[in-house]
Amino acid sequence: MKKFFSEFKEFINRGNAMDMAVGVIIGGAFTAIVTSLTTDILDPFIKLFTGGGEVAGLVVPVPGMDGGIDFSSFISAIINFLIVAFVVFCLVKALNKLQNAKKKEAEAAQDETPAPTCPYCLEDIKEGATRCPHCAGDIAAYSEK
């Protein structure tokens, strides 16, 4: 049981859970915006073009039902889904591009040899320097020891 909780703690500390939680919250908020767009803006246009008055022209009346089959709501839901899916696709594509750039940068940094450091103050110095520009330590004397 202790191993289970340590694995859970490691999972939480990795940041994936927090990233996922932020994504879900932002996704929910964005979905509400897109739903409002389709319901409040696109639905009236659908009703206008299909000749609907109070009830959309794409509603098929069904005996015993108040509203009937509302195809305009279905079309709005499809448009809503496509907009959200497109935005999520663009975000994932952008995040993948950033991750690849960071990965390439990290690989390039690994290929470079680290700059030499002063043995006294541990600051970076230029290759072949005999004195440290930071602490004025004699590097040549240190390397002869």
Side-chain angles (χ1 to χ4, degrees):
M1 192 65 157
K2 190 174 186 179
K3 183 180 177 188
F4 175 79
F5 284 117
S6 67
E7 287 177 8
F8 179 71
K9 182 180 175 185
E10 181 182 331
F11 170 76
I12 293 295
N13 287 334
R14 272 195 305 205
N16 293 346
M18 293 305 285
D19 292 342
M20 185 175 66
V22 168
V24 167
I25 291 168
I26 290 175
F30 181 73
T31 301
I33 292 170
V34 173
T35 301
S36 175
L37 170 77
T38 56
T39 303
D40 300 331
I41 297 174
L42 295 179
D43 274 353
F45 280 117
I46 293 172
K47 289 177 183 179
L48 178 71
F49 290 123
T50 57
E54 290 211 9
V55 179
L58 294 176
V59 174
V60 176
V62 175
M65 284 183 65
D66 289 336
I69 300 172
D70 189 2
F71 286 104
S72 65
S73 293
F74 180 68
I75 292 170
S76 294
I78 291 172
I79 292 170
N80 189 352
F81 169 76
L82 291 174
I83 292 171
V84 171
F86 178 73
V87 170
V88 168
F89 170 75
C90 290
L91 288 174
V92 169
K93 192 167 177 75
L95 288 175
N96 286 340
K97 191 173 184 179
L98 284 174
Q99 286 177 344
N100 288 340
K102 285 184 180 180
K103 189 183 290 184
K104 286 180 183 178
E105 186 178 296
E107 289 172 357
Q110 286 179 349
D111 293 342
E112 296 176 4
T113 56
T117 57
C118 172
Y120 303 107
C121 67
L122 302 177
E123 291 289 332
D124 290 343
I125 56 173
K126 291 184 179 180
E127 189 76 37
T130 56
R131 286 207 176 268
C132 175
H134 305 284
C135 70
D138 190 4
I139 298 167
Y142 181 83
S143 61
E144 291 173 3
K145 290 182 185 180

